[in-house]
Amino acid sequence: MRAPDPKKPFDLEQLAQYALIYGRPGLENTWQGIAVDFAYRMHWRTLFGFALCRALCANSAGKTTLVRRFALVMARPGLYREAVAAYAAANPTCPFVAQYGADIEIRQVHVPDDQVRNFSNNDVICILIHNCIPPDWVDHAYTYGVVYLEQQFHQPTMSLDIFRDVDDKRLQRLSVYGPPPAIPHWDGWREISEEDRYRLLFKRADKVAAQIDTEGVGLYYYIGMDPNVGPLWKRTPAHGTMPVVGSAINVALTDSVMVDATAAEGPSTPPKTESAPQPPAINIAQPEAATMTAAGGSQATTGTG
């Protein structure tokens, strides 16, 4: 099976097929944040959020940490919309114009490995605004953020303090804004196909059986269960303390690259009506010669920023 094309990050059908075999809960390389139920259906909103985060983060040793930060921002209703409104108020002559259309321009974030732990929520928001990511896309990715949180509480690999704090703020924001709305044609559960069943039952049966983590079974959703919960169903009392880290960080953006924003056999985006501006007020360090790092994709650049 071919891996998802990095030049087509929103081909959610291909992403789902690949994740079902290589990244579902219980496997050694679980793709965190994707909701899977006991019928092996995957929730479209979580696939979309996963794809959006991965599209924005350049490949590096610290990519998992960067993606985590994006997921935790998406888990907080209204946070990005507030930031976009604040940006618009501070930049009346250069308004925020969201990108839409079959092709969008992405500048991925790259952070030196020794500084990645200092990557903050504010950095995430700056990257989203700089790339003119539509607020309704971040709203739609809320379910991905929630499922990501659920999985951290089920099988904690680090202190839960940071996740408990984010979840407390998520609940506070839910009481103010309510659940973020979905994009209708990118919502619901993806039904598995006969081809999916064949791969699950025959093609990788022997190899997968040896990799199954019985604890991972607890990450599956019951059929009919809504992943857009209020209180998390996996949350446990927090333990441990996160180490204090410094705030110095050199965040750089890669050269812009055009990616296909359509999804095969499924969701498509509204037509793009205006060109996206390059916001001047984002405080992000720009390297003299930024490079584009998209694994497996050709380098298509439009400038060095």
Side-chain angles (χ1 to χ4, degrees), residues 101-174:
D103 295 304
I104 63 173
E105 189 175 22
I106 293 290
R107 289 171 63 85
Q108 295 180 314
V109 60
H110 176 79
V111 178
D113 294 342
D114 61 345
Q115 299 178 21
V116 71
R117 292 175 67 186
N118 298 326
F119 191 68
S120 69
N121 296 332
N122 288 337
D123 294 317
V124 170
I125 290 171
C126 284
I127 300 303
L128 290 170
I129 292 178
H130 195 99
N131 279 287
C132 300
I133 300 302
D136 54 332
W137 283 23
V138 177
D139 285 347
H140 189 69
Y142 166 72
T143 310
Y144 166 74
V146 172
V147 174
Y148 190 99
L149 279 175
E150 291 277 24
Q151 293 175 344
Q152 308 316 305
F153 284 107
H154 179 71
Q155 288 182 303
T157 57
M158 55 188 291
S159 168
L160 291 175
D161 289 357
I162 184 174
F163 303 119
R164 184 173 186 175
D165 179 64
V166 169
D167 190 41
D168 287 343
K169 292 177 180 176
R170 179 185 70 88
L171 293 172
Q172 293 170 4
R173 287 179 165 275
L174 272 178

Side-chain angles (χ1 to χ4, degrees), residues 6 31 41 88 99 120 123-124 133 135 145 166 193 223 241 269-270 275 305:
W31 288 10
R41 302 183 306 171
Q99 289 199 78
S120 69
D123 294 317
V124 170
I133 300 302
V166 169
S193 65
I223 297 174
T241 304
T269 56
S275 60

Side-chain angles (χ1 to χ4, degrees), residues 188-267:
W189 293 90
R190 172 192 177 269
E191 300 290 342
I192 68 170
S193 65
E194 287 302 315
E195 187 178 5
D196 293 330
R197 296 179 191 277
Y198 174 80
R199 292 194 184 102
L200 284 169
L201 294 175
F202 300 103
K203 283 195 172 183
R204 290 186 53 81
D206 295 335
K207 294 181 181 179
V208 169
Q211 299 175 10
I212 289 294
D213 176 6
T214 54
E215 284 294 314
V217 175
L219 293 173
Y220 284 83
Y221 286 78
Y222 291 104
I223 297 174
M225 191 174 183
D226 184 3
N228 295 295
V229 295
L232 297 179
W233 60 298
K234 290 292 184 180
R235 180 167 174 175
T236 59
H239 66 275
T241 304
M242 288 293 293
V244 177
V245 296
S247 59
I249 184 170
N250 179 27
V251 179
L253 292 179
T254 62
D255 292 344
S256 59
V257 56
M258 299 302 294
V259 300
D260 186 345
T262 59
E265 300 183 15

